Amino acid sequence: MMKRKAAVFASGTGSNFSAIMEAGSLGCDIVLLFSDNPSAKVLQKAEGFSVSSQAFSPKSFVNKEAYEKEILRLLQEHDIEWIFLAGYMRLIGSVLLEKYEGRIVNIHPSYLPQFPGKDAIDQAIEAGANETGVTIHYVDAGMDTGPIIRQEKIAINKEDTKATLAERIHKLEHQMYPEVIRQLMKK
Ligand code: GRF
């Protein structure tokens, strides 16, 4: 049987993308990496894993709809069924939601609904919180608001800096994301 095909969307470093690629059998094939940032480091990682990649910025389009229509064309060309956001720093708009809602997943570095949006790790430290976490959820039109699939907590110690906390969060993310994908692909 042909495996389902999936794409990862990322804007930056791509450590989650690497963790997904290195996790072994997922029940789907990651055949495409899309980035909205043509100079993102994740693009080199895709090359290393021999995954097709495409990058274009929304700034090259008249509006978000035109930008997403181009992404949609790309997804259809690769027969993509699922989209995994891994540090994709943009809201998903109506063009992609209409076709993929329920099959777009995001990972966020906090225990949602706490600390949504950008810089969630900084937010947790600045708030003086004693715990935060990692959440994997379905994507809807809001900012980090879709139905939660799985979430786990992480304690924040007094000695934690952004760097030490981020390291623990990323380690947990890298374990959780492949596991959740595997679980979703069994359905
Ligand atoms: C991760 O912390 C993820 O939760 C958030 O963006 C970060 C991406 O990191 N959405 P990386 O590019 O996967 O290293």
Side-chain angles (χ1 to χ4, degrees):
M1 205 180 77
M2 278 255 296
K3 271 195 196 153
R4 284 185 269 205
K5 293 181 182 169
V8 172
F9 285 18
S11 303
T13 315
S15 69
N16 279 283
F17 169 69
S18 293
I20 290 168
M21 295 310 298
E22 286 163 357
S25 160
L26 295 168
C28 64
D29 285 327
I30 309 293
V31 298
L32 179 68
L33 181 278
F34 172 72
S35 185
D36 58 326
N37 171 9
S39 50
K41 286 198 185 132
V42 69
L43 294 165
Q44 290 152 35
K45 294 194 166 128
E47 209 177 311
F49 289 109
S50 305
V51 172
S52 299
S53 65
Q54 280 278 338
F56 44 80
S57 158
K59 289 189 197 125
S60 348
F61 295 83
V62 284
N63 54 30
K64 183 156 186 156
E65 191 184 338
Y67 165 68
E68 286 204 338
K69 277 188 173 159
E70 184 61 16
I71 299 177
L72 185 60
R73 197 195 54 71
L74 189 66
L75 297 175
Q76 289 173 340
E77 184 182 299
H78 288 266
D79 293 323
I80 301 296
E81 279 186 58
W82 284 79
I83 301 170
F84 303 118
L85 308 184
Y88 180 68
M89 304 302 287
R90 294 182 187 277
L91 285 175
I92 298 291
S94 56
V95 171
L96 290 176
L97 281 174
E98 202 177 286
K99 297 276 183 198
Y100 282 95
E101 193 157 18
R103 290 177 293 135
I104 311 179
V105 176
N106 182 42
I107 187 162
H108 183 77
S110 78
Y111 200 87
L112 290 172
Q114 273 192 309
F115 312 125
K118 280 192 182 153
D119 302 323
I121 302 175
D122 285 323
Q123 288 185 50
I125 291 201
E126 275 157 29
N130 52 23
E131 61 184 22
T132 183
V134 172
T135 303
I136 296 178
H137 63 96
Y138 288 108
V139 171
D140 64 12
M143 169 90 83
D144 304 318
T145 51
I148 289 168
I149 303 169
R150 184 170 151 195
Q151 57 184 171
E152 284 188 22
K153 287 184 176 161
I154 281 189
I156 304 178
N157 310 316
K158 278 201 265 343
E159 314 75 53
D160 265 324
T161 60
K162 188 194 170 187
T164 59
L165 180 59
E167 197 182 319
R168 291 207 303 290
I169 288 185
H170 292 316
K171 204 167 156 207
L172 179 59
E173 289 186 324
H174 300 163
Q175 280 171 15
M176 279 171 70
Y177 217 168
E179 282 175 23
V180 166
I181 293 174
R182 216 170 269 137
Q183 169 201 327
L184 289 172
M185 292 306 109
K186 283 186 184 150
K187 285 187 182 164

